[in-house]
Amino acid sequence: MTELPKPAGAPAMPDAPPERRNAFTRFLDSVEWLGNLLPHPVTLFALLAVGMVLLSGLFGWMGLAVEDPRPVGAAGRAEDGMIRAVSLMDGDGLRRIFTGMVGNFTGFAPLGVVLVAMLGIGVAEKSGILSALVRGIVLGASRNMVTVAIVFAGVISNTASELGYVVLIPLAGAVFYSLGRHPLAGMAAAFAGVSGGYSANLLIGTIDPLLAGITEEAAQLIDPAYAVNATASYYFMVVSTFLVTVVGSLVSIYIVEPKLGAYDNSRADPEILDGASVAPLDAREKKGLKVAGLAFLGVLALMALTLVPDWGVLRDPETGDQLRSPFFTGFVVWILFFFLALGFAYGRVVGTVRNDRDIIDGMAHGLSTLGLYIVIVFFAAQFVAFFGWTNLGAITAVSGANFLDDMGLTGPALFVGFIIVCAFVNLMLGSASAQWAMTAPIFVPMLMLIGYSPEVIQTAYRIGDSTTNIITPMMSYFGLILAWATRYDREVGIGTMIAMMLPYSIFFTIGWIALFFLWVFGLGLPVGPGSPTYYVPG
C-alpha cells in the first residue's frame, strides 16, 4: 500500500530501530498473532453473544448451580439460597432477548458517557485548543518525562470517573504522534495508568466508598459491629500511585514502544494526522490559551460552589455526602461543560468559533467519529447483558472463591492465590463492584476467621481487580479504546491490544504483590488510617 504523503510540518518519524527479538518479545508476538486470528471485534462480540445463548441452554439443562454466599434477604438472592445457570434457549429466554436488545444497547453505561463527553470534546477539537495544548505539552519536553507524566495523569484521572478513558487516552496518542513517536504507545501508557492503575491514587474517588460499603456488609457476617471507612486503603493507594507510575513508565519505554517500532501512517485515518500539530504556538494561540485558562478557573469555581459548601446543590440531598453525590454520579456533565467552555473561549480568540453554528458543527463532527465504536457497543452490550442474565459470571466468581477456600492456605502466602483468583475473575466480570459484591461474602469472612482485617482483604482484592482490566474485552471501555486505536492503524485487532497491554498487566501484578507483602507483612504498616492488619474478635 502506498504511504500517505506527509503534510508540511508533520513530525518526522524516526527510522525503525534494529530488531531485538528476545524471548519475551517473541511471546508477545505470539499473543498478538493468536489474538488477531480472531474475527473483527464486531463479529467477535456477535459470536460471543450467540455462544453465550447456546452455553446457557447447555448449563441450564445440566442444572449448574452454586450456593449463594450472600446473606439471607440480600438483594437478588434466591429464596433457596442457590445461584443457578439461567437458560436463554427456552421461550422465556428468547422473549427476553428479543425485547431486551434495544434496552441493552441504550442502557450500556459507557455509551451515554462517551456520547455526552464527545459533544464537548468535538467543540474543543474544532476550536483548535486540543492541538494547541498538545504542542504546549510536547515542545521542549523530555521524551521519557512525557511518558511518566502520561502514566501519572492516567492514575490521577481515576478521581474524575470517566475522564481518563474519554479524554486522556486519545490525547496521549496525539501527544506521542506530535513527538514523532508511535501514537499507540502513548495510548497504551495512558490506558495502563487509567485502568491498570485503577486502585491507586492520591485522592479518594467514587469507587472507594462503594467498595468499602460492600466490605463492611461482608465483615458484619462475622462481626455485626464492624465498620469499614472509605479511606480503608488510602495509605497503600498513595504509595501504589508511584509504583504504577514507575512500572508503567518503564514498561512503556523499554518494552511496549520498542516492540511497536516506528510508526507507519499509511494505515491511518488521514483526518487524524494533523500536519500542523508540532508548529510553535503563535501569539494569538497563546492568548487563546490564557483566556481558556480563565474559563477553566470559572468552571472550577462553579464546581466548588455546588460541592464544597454545606448547602452545595450537588451534594447528596439526604446525607450531605460529597463522594456519594449527584456531583460525581453525573460527572460526565462537568466534562461536557469543561470542554464547551474551553473550546468556546479559545475559539473566540483565535477565530475558529464565532457563533452557535460553529459549536453545533463541532458537536456533530465529534459524534461522527464514533461510528465504529457505536457498532461495537451494540454487539458488546448484548454479550454483556446475556452473560449477566445467565448467572454464569456469578457462578464463576463463587466457584473461584470456593476453590481458594478449598486450598486450605492460612499464612500470608494465601494472599497470592487470592489476588490471582480476583485477577482471573476480573477477566469475566469487568465491574469492580459487581465482582466484589459476589466474592466479598466468601473472602472477607473466610480471611477474617484466619485473622486478617477486612481492610487488608479489600486492599488485596483491589490489586487483582486492577491488573487485568487492561487485557479483557469485558472491560466496558475496551471497545472505545480499540475504536480510537484503529484511527491510527485500521488493522489493529484485539490481539494487538492485548499483546500491547499484557506486559503492563504482568509487571503490575508482580510489582503490586511485592509491594503488598513488603508494606503489610515486611514493614507492618497499615494500609489506611485506622486500618489494622489483623482482625481480633471483640
Side-chain angles (χ1 to χ4, degrees):
M1 184 177 295
T2 304
E3 183 172 344
L4 294 174
K6 197 177 295 298
M13 297 300 173
D15 294 335
E19 290 282 330
R20 292 178 295 175
R21 318 304 292 175
N22 56 37
F24 188 62
T25 302
R26 291 195 298 272
F27 164 70
L28 295 178
D29 289 341
S30 300
V31 171
E32 180 176 2
W33 179 78
L34 288 171
N36 285 340
L37 290 177
L38 297 172
H40 189 283
V42 172
T43 307
L44 177 63
F45 278 117
L47 292 174
L48 287 173
V50 173
M52 187 54 55
V53 174
L54 298 176
L55 279 177
S56 74
L58 174 63
F59 289 128
W61 174 77
M62 293 171 57
L64 181 67
V66 295
E67 185 176 351
D68 194 332
R70 292 172 294 184
V72 176
R77 191 179 194 272
E79 291 184 2
D80 63 357
M82 300 297 291
I83 302 176
R84 289 185 168 81
V86 176
S87 174
L88 299 179
M89 290 284 288
D90 57 16
D92 289 340
L94 295 175
R95 283 188 289 272
R96 188 176 189 183
I97 291 172
F98 189 79
T99 59
M101 274 196 175
V102 174
N104 296 340
F105 178 46
T106 58
F108 193 64
L111 178 62
V113 169
V114 171
L115 294 179
V116 171
M118 284 303 296
L119 292 173
I121 294 171
V123 174
E125 186 175 9
K126 178 178 176 58
S127 73
I129 190 173
L130 296 182
S131 173
L133 284 172
V134 168
R135 283 179 282 150
I137 292 170
V138 304
L139 289 175
S142 162
R143 179 185 180 91
N144 289 343
M145 284 308 299
V146 168
T147 304
V148 174
I150 285 175
V151 177
F152 180 75
V155 177
I156 300 302
S157 71
N158 288 321
T159 307
S161 191
E162 296 87 2
L163 180 65
Y165 293 108
V166 179
V167 178
L168 182 64
I169 293 175
L171 182 62
V175 168
F176 267 52
Y177 175 71
S178 297
L179 286 171
R181 300 166 69 178
H182 204 300
L184 295 188
M187 295 180 67
F191 190 18
V194 173
S195 198
Y198 188 65
S199 293
N201 216 309
L202 300 181
L203 302 170
I204 297 296
T206 53
I207 191 67
D208 298 294
L210 178 60
L211 293 182
I214 296 172
T215 304
E216 180 175 287
E217 290 183 3
Q220 289 176 353
L221 296 174
I222 299 296
D223 186 342
Y226 205 95
V228 179
N229 297 320
T231 57
S233 305
Y234 180 66
Y235 295 158
F236 191 77
M237 284 172 53
V238 170
V239 71
S240 294
T241 300
F242 301 101
L243 171 78
V244 170
T245 301
V246 171
V247 173
S249 300
L250 292 175
V251 170
S252 296
I253 294 167
Y254 293 107
I255 298 178
V256 173
E257 194 167 3
K259 182 184 182 303
L260 288 170
Y263 177 52
D264 175 11
N265 64 11
S266 64
R267 297 193 298 266
D269 178 355
E271 187 176 310
I272 205 170
L273 303 178
D274 182 4
S277 60
V278 291
L281 297 172
D282 60 32
R284 189 170 58 170
E285 289 173 322
K286 291 179 180 178
K287 181 180 178 182
L289 288 176
K290 290 178 182 178
V291 174
L294 294 176
F296 175 79
L297 293 175
V299 176
L300 281 182
L302 180 62
M303 293 175 71
L305 284 175
T306 63
L307 184 68
V308 175
D310 292 339
W311 43 265
V313 69
L314 293 184
R315 282 175 172 245
D316 186 288
E318 297 181 359
T319 65
D321 195 296
Q322 292 177 313
L323 287 175
R324 298 181 183 180
S325 66
F327 181 93
F328 285 107
T329 303
F331 196 84
V332 66
V333 179
W334 286 119
I335 297 176
L336 170 63
F337 288 167
F338 260 119
F339 284 99
L340 279 177
L342 269 62
F344 180 74
Y346 179 86
R348 288 289 292 179
V349 173
V350 303
T352 53
V353 178
R354 296 182 175 87
N355 50 44
D356 61 325
R357 184 173 294 277
D358 290 331
I359 293 176
I360 294 168
D361 288 345
M363 289 181 171
H365 181 266
L367 294 182
S368 72
T369 63
L370 296 177
L372 176 60
Y373 170 66
I374 292 173
V375 177
I376 291 174
V377 162
F378 176 78
F379 292 97
Q382 308 310 322
F383 169 62
V384 171
F386 297 170
F387 192 61
W389 293 348
T390 62
N391 283 339
L392 294 181
I395 290 172
T396 301
V398 173
S399 299
N402 289 336
F403 168 76
L404 184 62
D405 189 16
D406 292 341
M407 290 175 65
L409 298 175
T410 57
L414 171 64
F415 282 96
V416 175
F418 174 44
I419 291 170
I420 291 174
V421 167
C422 292
F424 175 75
V425 173
N426 188 54
L427 294 172
M428 289 162 286
L429 281 177
S431 168
S433 57
Q435 182 190 160
W436 194 224
M438 282 293 172
T439 55
I442 299 175
F443 285 135
V444 174
M446 179 182 81
L447 296 177
M448 283 178 70
L449 292 175
I450 295 174
Y452 297 107
S453 74
E455 292 85 352
V456 167
I457 301 166
Q458 175 185 284
T459 302
Y461 159 73
R462 297 192 66 178
I463 295 173
D465 176 62
S466 293
T467 53
T468 51
N469 274 339
I470 49 182
I471 59 172
T472 172
M474 290 295 291
M475 201 276 293
S476 54
Y477 286 95
F478 191 91
L480 175 65
I481 297 162
L482 180 61
W484 272 324
T486 58
R487 297 191 68 191
Y488 286 107
D489 185 347
R490 58 178 170 269
E491 294 186 6
V492 166
I494 289 178
T496 306
M497 289 291 295
I498 293 177
M500 188 169 65
M501 301 311 300
L502 186 59
Y504 296 103
S505 185
I506 292 171
F507 286 99
F508 281 168
T509 301
I510 295 171
W512 234 334
I513 289 176
L515 177 64
F516 177 79
F517 274 85
L518 175 64
W519 187 270
V520 175
F521 301 113
L523 301 177
L525 298 173
V527 293
S531 297
T533 298
Y534 300 100
Y535 170 69
V536 179

